[in-house]
Amino acid sequence: MKNYLTLLIQPIFQKHWIADLVFALMRFTCGLLLAIDFGASKFGMPWTPKDKNLGLFEVAAWFPEDIAEYGGIFAMAPVLFAWLGAFSEAVGGLLLAIGLKTRVASFLIMCTMLVAIFFQKWGQGTWGLLPAMGFLWISIYNLYLGSGRFGIDALLAKRLSTKK
């Protein structure tokens, strides 16, 4: 089990530390933008009171309704897919920014961006596709590289390797 965890978090270091620094700056910037600008509007804000006496809440209708319009499996459970997408953008963006569980967060973001590209943005032309494609590209190379030298995964991998 420890070997699988090490494989999952062990980042690939570039030849020169400056390359890792550049990748870390891009990872940090894109992770924060994804979490704060895109994920927070879906994850933290769409609550409306359903019954003030009981304290029950429901998701605002705009995001699950957008998901349901995709059809197929998305129409069967739009609230579930809305929260999965919001989670991967908000929490995955924060994890990506700090370099913790970078490959897992990158995989979730990659899946979300592929859905956004093919089901939501496809007919909007190149300019409509660019934000989702940019996050997709960042998630693809972070899926391969991991956090690099400048992330929490690198510290965890170093600690796991010294305990052997």
Side-chain angles (χ1 to χ4, degrees), residues 70 89 111-122 129 132:
Y70 300 165
E89 288 181 1
C111 293
T112 302
M113 292 304 122
L114 286 170
V115 169
I117 289 168
F118 289 110
F119 289 96
Q120 183 185 32
K121 303 288 186 183
W122 191 255
L129 288 170

Side-chain angles (χ1 to χ4, degrees), residues 11-151:
I12 296 173
F13 294 164
Q14 302 305 306
K15 188 175 180 180
H16 300 288
W17 68 268
I18 193 78
D20 276 328
L21 181 63
V22 170
F23 285 141
L25 290 173
M26 289 189 296
R27 187 190 75 237
F28 182 76
T29 304
C30 286
L32 282 184
L33 283 173
L34 185 62
I36 293 169
D37 200 22
F38 291 89
S41 65
K42 299 171 189 130
F43 191 67
M45 302 302 205
W47 293 87
T48 57
K50 183 178 181 183
D51 185 349
K52 291 181 183 177
N53 296 330
L54 298 176
L56 299 175
F57 296 91
E58 66 181 13
V59 176
W62 69 271
F63 191 47
E65 284 178 4
D66 282 353
I67 301 285
E69 289 176 8
Y70 300 165
I73 192 170
F74 299 106
M76 293 191 310
V79 173
L80 171 68
F81 285 108
W83 284 110
L84 288 173
F87 178 84
S88 73
E89 288 181 1
V91 177
L94 290 175
L95 291 174
L96 189 67
I98 63 173
L100 178 62
K101 305 294 182 200
T102 307
R103 289 189 172 101
V104 174
S106 294
F107 178 76
L108 295 173
I109 293 167
M110 183 182 72
C111 293
T112 302
M113 292 304 122
L114 286 170
V115 169
I117 289 168
F118 289 110
F119 289 96
Q120 183 185 32
K121 303 288 186 183
W122 191 255
Q124 297 179 8
T126 305
W127 288 111
L129 288 170
L130 281 178
M133 288 176 70
F135 290 123
L136 174 66
W137 296 327
I138 296 290
S139 68
I140 288 172
Y141 80 70
N142 277 297
L143 183 65
Y144 176 72
L145 293 175
S147 69
R149 280 172 229 249
F150 302 106

